[in-house]
Amino acid sequence: MNMITLSAAKFPPPPPLKPPPPPLNSRQKQSSPSSIKYPPLEKRLISQINTNNLNEAFSTLNLMTKQNLHPHLITYSLLLKHCIRSRNFHLGQLLHTHLTQSKLDIDSVLYNSLISLYSKSGDVSKAKLIFDTMPRLKKDLVSYSAMISCFANNKMELDGILMFIDMISDDNDDRGFVPNEYCFTAVIRACSNIDNVRFGMVVFGLLMKCAYFEDNVNVGCALIDMFVRGSGDLESAYKVFDKMADKNLVAWTLMITRSAQLGYPKDAVRLFLDMMTCYVPDKFTLSGVVSACAEMGSLSFGKQLHSLVIKLGLALDVIIGCSLVDMYAKCTNDGSMDSSQRVFDFMPERNVMLWTALITGYAQSGRQDNETLRLFSEMVKGPVAPNQFTFSSTLKACGNLYDTRVGEQVHALALKMGLSSINCVGNSLISMYARLGKMENAERAFGLLFEKNLVTYNTIVDAYTKNSNTEEAFELFNKLDDSGIQADAFMFSSLLSGASNVGAIGKGEQIHAQVVKSGFQSNLQICHALISMYSRCGNLEASFRVFKKMEDRNVISWTSMIMGLAIHGFADKALETFYNMVDARIKPNEITYVAVLTACSHAGLISEGRELFSSMYKDHGIVPRMEHYACMIDLLGRSGSLEEAVELITNMPFEADALVWRSLLGACRVHGNTKLGEHAAKQILKQTPNDPAAHVLLSNLYASSGKWDQVAEIRKNMKEKKVVKLAGCSWMEVKNTVHKFYVADTSHPQTKQIYVKLDELVLKIKELGYVPETSLVLHDIEEEQKEEGLNFLGETFRFLKEDLVHPFRNCYW
């Protein structure tokens, strides 16, 4: 967006608020405080109440009770209201006991205050009991409004709506009350969710007949909240806001905050700039607009807002501090948390929200997960206890670090604090254990959740697919309808990814049919998953059809198609698609270049690869990252240019990671360069000592050179370190069933038939001149045994195709 400036802003003082006086009740008509002659102890009691010395006031009240004296009802009411305002609910309940023991005839004002007391303390049943036991003639409009507000504030919205209907109905024995602005505000608040918003529209129609809609700011704010929270209808919320004759700071702040929350941060900023012509923003307004700035990613405007915060003397406020920490974490391009850390360090008071904002910032910044865990440890040792959101971010960091020990410790602490069954913590536990490969623990965390929402099901389905448990993912998806939850685009994408991981094109086609049935066929995320699924399962034609049918193609769409062509060796077509993308004025990103460089690597297009690598920054301003250098090393290594590959590694602007050295080590294995391969392996093991791939690649390099003693030494070290490499596997789909095969595997139910058929096939193809490439079997065994290993894995598919006579797809990984 355009540069936003606050330099010209002026801050006039806000207009004085003039709330309407409350209506007089019968008690006030009969007497006023000035006309009552108070005894000395009651005068002392009133003085203590007015100076907010509630403990001393209750001492005086106890003294009066011992002398068999009772204050007037007005004094009781004054003391009860101070207990409510100071949120000293225990003293308020104690005062209720005094009232009950006094045998005084409680009036409607005290009854209504008692309802308010128990409502705000969360004791709905006690508030309802007081309302139900009130004498019929003492129930007034305030009583009903207090009770409706009690239900609305304590997640019993439907009860509040039913009480509103009972209040205004003609058959109400207490007389049909006409709701005022306070009553309307309470019932609208009860309608501010997706379940009750339809009744809210009925209340809105009733409200239009009264004078409260445009003239009362509380009613207007309640309506804005109802439209936003109930139906996400920001347009109607704006109409209400525009119609409001008196917009105070609360109304402006609400509109700014809700605009940002619904994904319209620019509108929130525009409202903020308009508001500053008539009001000085407070901490809630500034917190809302700073959050909007974070969503926009505008660091320059965020710094201006920070300056305004300091100018207004609000820099030490913890609410604004949370927003500033979040803003700096999200707006910094290089993932630096320095500014967020400085804001945090400057805060004299650090509550759970501030700690969580900083921990979440580190967890989401990338490659700072160790700092996330350090901060969490520091927080736990202090006086502020973590909440469910703190645990959620910390568990994510544990998953990123693949640290099982710390992850289990954090899980134990969440369990101890009773937070492990809360959705966001449970979802993070599922995700963490899935990344650690502990699917049993992930399933256990899923089973222990009391309420499973769509995010929970998405998390466990995604966990299954990423751990190649595709059957379990599809089984859970089939049970989803019984839970009353509808699959969304994320779940369909996860299932398509799972189908592509095991080459189950039949299941992928079934999900494609479900996608069309659910109306998601135009969803970009699903289209990308379909392109990837079809291409990885070998059906490039279907992949290209999905790509062609897309109305809107973004950079991910083009990149998915390029990657599909690249992994199948269609380098020329991949390059053509890349240049078509550039001609369509779609700017490639880092992953696009990984895809197109991969295409060059697989096809040995060295000159094209060099040209593309140099054009990254020159043409598109993309600084090559580690994975781009790894692609170039792979390209040079495959072509045998090992010296040039080493030179490129030496000249990299950062230290090469294990991925780069692994690419070089693989090339050394192909070209038999043992000395350079040893150097590459040492570099890998220096960074990741337990990397199974490095051990195996080096072992294969020695094996291809016939150095069996070194092979034995490496395998001995792997055994001592408990380093295990997953066995290579091939699989295929026949009649919607995935069959997996390993070298010399005997677990398949048709093993005997397969081996008999293989023996027949081997004899036939040897007669035609077939000679097995036994050099690819890197084990110190007899030639005949090498041939048997090759035969089983390579010819199994032909048996299944010819003898079972079913269409199939196969994948090799």
Side-chain angles (χ1 to χ4, degrees), residues 702-742:
Y702 285 137
S704 63
S705 303
K707 298 181 179 181
W708 299 111
D709 291 340
Q710 286 89 332
V711 171
E713 184 66 25
I714 290 174
R715 295 193 178 276
K716 179 184 175 183
N717 290 337
M718 290 179 68
K719 189 174 181 179
E720 290 175 351
K721 294 179 181 178
K722 296 181 180 180
V723 176
V724 180
K725 179 186 180 295
L726 293 176
C729 175
S730 297
W731 55 79
M732 59 182 291
E733 183 187 21
V734 179
K735 289 189 69 176
N736 284 330
T737 301
V738 175
H739 299 263
K740 293 185 179 181
F741 302 96
Y742 301 86

Side-chain angles (χ1 to χ4, degrees), residues 35-36 141 225 254 256 287 303 363 370 382 444 447 476 486 540 642 676 680 707 709 713 720 745 760 803:
S35 63
I36 298 175
L141 183 59
D225 231 18
L254 178 65
I256 290 167
S287 176
K303 289 180 177 179
N370 284 315
R444 196 174 294 118
L476 189 62
Q486 296 293 322
L540 272 176
L642 297 180
L676 184 57
K707 298 181 179 181
D709 291 340
E713 184 66 25
E720 290 175 351
D745 187 11
E760 295 176 8
D803 280 30

Side-chain angles (χ1 to χ4, degrees), residues 33-104:
S34 59
S35 63
I36 298 175
K37 293 184 178 180
Y38 296 106
L41 278 177
E42 188 166 0
K43 286 182 179 179
R44 185 204 301 177
L45 175 62
I46 293 171
S47 174
Q48 289 165 342
I49 294 170
N50 289 332
T51 56
N52 287 319
N53 293 318
L54 293 182
N55 290 325
E56 294 180 10
F58 270 85
S59 297
T60 303
L61 180 62
N62 290 331
L63 182 61
M64 292 181 69
T65 303
K66 288 178 182 178
Q67 296 181 13
N68 203 24
L69 298 173
H70 296 287
H72 291 77
L73 288 179
I74 292 178
T75 307
Y76 271 116
S77 179
L78 183 66
L79 180 54
L80 182 56
K81 287 179 179 177
H82 271 73
C83 290
I84 296 171
R85 286 170 187 165
S86 64
R87 303 191 68 80
N88 203 326
F89 301 128
H90 173 69
L91 290 179
Q93 293 165 5
L94 185 62
L95 183 60
H96 185 194
T97 304
H98 274 282
L99 268 171
T100 305
Q101 295 172 350
S102 70
K103 308 292 185 182
L104 293 174

Side-chain angles (χ1 to χ4, degrees), residues 494-567:
S494 295
L495 291 166
L496 288 167
S497 176
S500 67
N501 286 342
V502 295
I505 195 170
K507 292 188 182 298
E509 288 170 340
Q510 291 175 18
I511 294 298
H512 193 173
Q514 288 279 352
V515 164
V516 175
K517 184 179 177 181
S518 303
F520 284 113
Q521 64 269 25
S522 299
N523 182 277
L524 277 177
Q525 183 182 5
I526 291 179
C527 288
H528 301 153
L530 283 168
I531 293 170
S532 178
M533 185 272 295
Y534 281 122
S535 63
R536 291 186 68 182
C537 290
N539 194 342
L540 272 176
E541 292 180 5
S543 180
F544 203 68
R545 280 198 300 272
V546 174
F547 179 74
K548 281 293 185 182
K549 286 181 179 179
M550 292 178 66
E551 296 178 2
D552 297 317
R553 300 186 194 117
N554 61 12
V555 63
I556 302 174
S557 316
W558 289 91
T559 301
S560 300
M561 196 66 242
I562 294 168
M563 185 63 80
L565 293 165
I567 61 177

Side-chain angles (χ1 to χ4, degrees), residues 271-291:
L271 282 165
F272 175 74
L273 296 175
D274 291 343
M275 185 211 73
M276 288 204 305
T277 60
C278 52
Y279 286 103
V280 177
D282 64 5
K283 60 182 180 180
F284 301 107
T285 319
L286 287 165
S287 176
V289 74
V290 169
S291 297

